[in-house]
């Protein structure tokens, strides 16, 4: 039997075909899902939990959960966004488990994406924006990963995932004010770490210092 | 400038640093009542300090670009491990 990597996966070029394949429990569809969505999902998991090994566990757990529950996927969002929410939720559960804080853990059997609201930003659906060079992308990721867990998780949920302050605070089990303070601390640390790059990134009119 | 004095780097507003220092060392949270007051003062400062506002705008612009940047491909070994474990559940 050929392995998924040795097989032409172009049959799953669009998400509708991929979804059908996943529902048939076709391993090639599973491989295609990993190829197509894995990089973005892994980056998200890494941003939330910080550690590479744990991010791998998060991604594996989330993708298995997604495959097991693929029949629950309603199609209200894209498949990528649905998987994104499952990964984010799984990563948050890992963070809470690390803190031994059972509050807000999803009960067994719950819809895996239920904790994370529908309104998170789906960057996949916003192509065409100005992108970063490889070096600058790595610098941003390094700066994010250098933040303490508490600051990084707050920052990722609010500033990168685009959740509201109250949604992000609820997911982290803290008050809105505590979240705002964490965000200020995170921004300050990032401003320091990325200072050489920030000096050239803003439009001239935003730099009004005399 | 009514808020903190900025250093030559433009990123070390002293008033902001003083406010952040009030939230305790490291990443710890202040008590709820203190956090409410601190969050209010930090927001007031961020809105009124030109240096901080400019830095925030810079950071926001950079992160917008980061959000639009594709993630790098998975490391080959990681991809293989994940594929093996996932496909083990899909015999077909």
């Amino acid at each position: 039997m050929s392995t998924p990597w040795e097989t032409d996966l172009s049959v799953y070029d669009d998400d509708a075909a991929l979804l059908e394949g996943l529902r048939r429990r076709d391993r090639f569809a599973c491989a295609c899902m990993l190829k197509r969505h894995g990089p973005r999902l892994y980056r998200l998991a890494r941003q939330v939990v910080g550690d590479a090994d744990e991010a791998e566990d998060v991604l594996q757990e989330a993708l298995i959960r997604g495959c097991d529950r693929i029949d629950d996927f309603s199609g209200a969002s894209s498949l990528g966004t649905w998987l994104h929410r499952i990964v984010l939720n799984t990563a948050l559960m890992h963070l809470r488990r690390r803190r031994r804080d059972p509050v807000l853990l999803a009960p067994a059997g719950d819809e895996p994406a239920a904790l994370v609201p529908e309104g998170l930003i789906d960057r996949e659906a916003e192509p065409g924006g100005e992108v970063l060079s490889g070096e600058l992308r790595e610098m941003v990721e390094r700066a994010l990963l250098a933040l303490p867990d508490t600051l990084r998780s707050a920052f990722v949920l609010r500033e990168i995932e685009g959740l509201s302050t109250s949604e992000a605070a609820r997911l982290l089990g803290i008050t809105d004010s505590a979240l705002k303070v964490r965000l200020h601390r995170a921004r300050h640390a990032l401003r320091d770490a990325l200072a050489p790059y920030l000096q050239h990134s803003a439009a001239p009119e935003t730099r009004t210092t005399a | 400038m009514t808020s903190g004095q900025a250093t030559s780097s433009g990123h070390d507003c002293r008033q902001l640093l003083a406010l952040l220092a009030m939230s305790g060392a490291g990443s710890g949270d202040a008590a709820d009542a203190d956090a409410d007051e601190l969050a209010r003062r930090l927001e007031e400062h961020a809105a009124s300090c030109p240096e901080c506002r400019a830095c925030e705008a810079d950071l926001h612009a950079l992160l917008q670009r980061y959000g639009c940047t594709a993630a790098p491909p998975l490391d080959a070994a990681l991809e293989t491990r994940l594929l093996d474990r996932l496909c083990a559940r899909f015999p077909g």
Side-chain angles (χ1 to χ4, degrees), chain A residues 60 177 182 185 202 207 209, chain B residues 23 26 29 36 51 58 85:
Chain A
Q60 178 186 326
S177 293
R182 286 188 189 184
R185 294 185 69 86
R207 306 199 61 78
T209 50
Chain B
S23 64
D29 291 322
D36 289 345
E51 279 295 330
D58 282 2
R85 293 177 207 145

Side-chain angles (χ1 to χ4, degrees), chain B:
Chain B
M1 185 167 162
T2 56
S3 52
Q5 294 291 310
T7 66
S8 57
S9 75
H11 294 282
D12 290 327
C13 171
R14 287 176 196 163
Q15 189 172 336
L16 177 67
L17 289 173
L19 286 168
L20 288 174
M22 289 170 59
S23 64
S27 57
D29 291 322
D32 285 355
D34 293 341
D36 289 345
E37 172 63 9
L38 186 56
R40 187 188 63 75
R41 292 178 66 180
L42 283 165
E43 282 179 351
E44 268 181 16
H45 176 79
S48 63
C49 174
E51 279 295 330
C52 286
R53 227 173 34 229
C55 289
E56 289 288 315
D58 282 2
L59 183 61
H60 182 73
L62 183 67
L63 289 168
Q64 285 291 108
R65 292 171 61 199
Y66 172 70
C68 294
T69 304
L74 292 178
D75 169 80
L78 166 63
E79 194 174 66
T80 303
R81 282 196 302 275
L82 285 168
L83 184 68
D84 285 347
R85 293 177 207 145
L86 286 172
C87 287
R89 302 173 62 87
F90 282 69

Side-chain angles (χ1 to χ4, degrees), chain A residues 13 61 113 119 134 149 177:
Chain A
D13 262 355
E61 197 177 316
D149 282 352
S177 293

Side-chain angles (χ1 to χ4, degrees), chain A residues 68-203:
Chain A
D68 286 349
R69 299 188 178 209
I70 196 68
D71 290 332
D72 296 339
F73 174 60
S74 66
S77 60
S78 73
L79 179 63
T81 300
W82 187 71
L83 292 170
H84 191 93
R85 291 175 62 227
I86 295 175
V87 170
L88 181 53
N89 202 38
T90 306
L92 287 170
M93 286 196 282
H94 271 247
L95 269 190
R96 290 176 196 135
R97 208 174 291 154
R98 202 189 288 168
R99 295 202 312 258
R100 301 182 178 192
D101 175 6
V103 177
L104 290 177
L105 273 173
D110 260 17
E111 157 61 38
L115 291 181
V116 180
E118 296 276 358
L120 87 169
I121 292 175
D122 182 5
R123 303 283 187 191
E124 191 182 46
E126 300 175 353
E130 191 184 357
V131 300
L132 300 183
S133 67
E135 181 198 345
L136 191 46
R137 176 183 54 73
E138 282 181 24
M139 286 303 299
V140 172
E141 286 173 353
R142 204 171 299 162
L144 281 171
L145 292 176
L147 292 174
D149 282 352
T150 48
L151 303 189
R152 192 185 58 253
S153 53
F155 190 83
V156 167
L157 290 181
R158 181 72 185 88
E159 302 291 344
I160 296 182
E161 294 303 311
L163 300 183
S164 71
T165 297
S166 49
E167 284 167 343
R170 179 180 63 83
L171 287 170
L172 295 173
I174 58 177
T175 65
D176 286 10
S177 293
L179 184 98
K180 288 175 186 173
V181 174
R182 286 188 189 184
L183 287 175
H184 280 286
R185 294 185 69 86
R187 284 195 202 106
H188 181 73
L190 290 173
R191 277 161 46 173
D192 271 358
L194 298 168
Y197 303 95
L198 294 178
Q199 287 168 357
H200 304 289
S201 65

